[in-house]
Amino acid sequence: AVLTDIDSEGGSLVASNLLMLGNADTAIYASGALSLSQTLVAGYETGMDSQDASTLVNSILVGNGTALTGSGAWTVQYTDSYGNQVDWPANVSAGVGGNISADPLLSRWSDDQDGTNDKVSLSAGSPAIDAGMPGTWDTDGSVADMGAYGGSQR
């Protein structure tokens, strides 16, 4: 299922395999920490906003105004940030490893804020295929892709 936005007030949010296609100002807001993996966030004014130390792994941020923001420090690994007006704020530790800035070659993404007409699986030749953190796996047991689901569900 495609989600439009998540607001987490208090506590932490831990999630994987999130597919967020823009039709809200902010895809994910958390007053606490975020710990996200294999997430795709596309077409928002702000992709993710966290007020506490947060992590993002094996993910894709594409076509957002600002990919990541907030007062909390971000640790970002094996994530593709492409086509965002602003990628990483100063509090992002983006040099940890495996991050790229390349067109993820989504099958069909229109950025029209209507997720029902999009297919955001990775096309053949995508640099995000099997580019996830070493030792992590997609739902089908193959090497992790960047973005939601991966593997046979690509």
Side-chain angles (χ1 to χ4, degrees), residues 48 50 54 66-76 86-96:
M48 297 179 202
S50 176
S54 296
T66 299
L68 300 173
T69 192
S71 58
W74 281 93
T75 299
V76 180
V86 177
D87 288 319
W88 318 121
N91 59 342
V92 170
S93 175
V96 176

Side-chain angles (χ1 to χ4, degrees), residues 21-24 42-44 63 108-119:
L21 300 177
N23 62 2
Y44 289 85
R108 182 180 64 239
W109 177 61
S110 60
D111 194 16
D112 63 359
Q113 299 185 349
D114 177 5
T116 63
N117 64 1
D118 294 324
K119 182 176 180 192

Side-chain angles (χ1 to χ4, degrees), residues 1 3 15-19 36-40 138-139 147-150:
L3 300 173
S16 64
N17 291 314
L18 291 176
L19 182 55
L36 303 174
S37 65
Q38 292 190 271
T39 297
L40 186 143
D138 285 330
T139 56
Y149 305 112

Side-chain angles (χ1 to χ4, degrees), residues 17-93:
N17 291 314
L18 291 176
L19 182 55
M20 311 287 296
L21 300 177
N23 62 2
D25 289 339
T26 302
I28 302 171
Y29 169 80
S31 61
L34 290 170
S35 180
L36 303 174
S37 65
Q38 292 190 271
T39 297
L40 186 143
V41 176
Y44 289 85
E45 188 174 312
T46 301
M48 297 179 202
D49 182 350
S50 176
Q51 304 307 305
D52 204 347
S54 296
T55 60
L56 182 65
V57 179
N58 296 347
S59 296
I60 295 174
L61 303 164
V62 63
N64 299 291
T66 299
L68 300 173
T69 192
S71 58
W74 281 93
T75 299
V76 180
Q77 296 178 284
Y78 296 90
T79 292
D80 185 2
S81 185
Y82 179 79
N84 303 295
Q85 292 175 14
V86 177
D87 288 319
W88 318 121
N91 59 342
V92 170
S93 175

Side-chain angles (χ1 to χ4, degrees), residues 60 80 82 98 100-106 122-132 144-146:
I60 295 174
D80 185 2
Y82 179 79
I100 63 173
S101 181
D103 186 344
L105 301 177
L106 302 176
L122 301 175
S123 297
S126 170
I129 293 174
D130 296 339
D145 297 335
M146 293 176 179

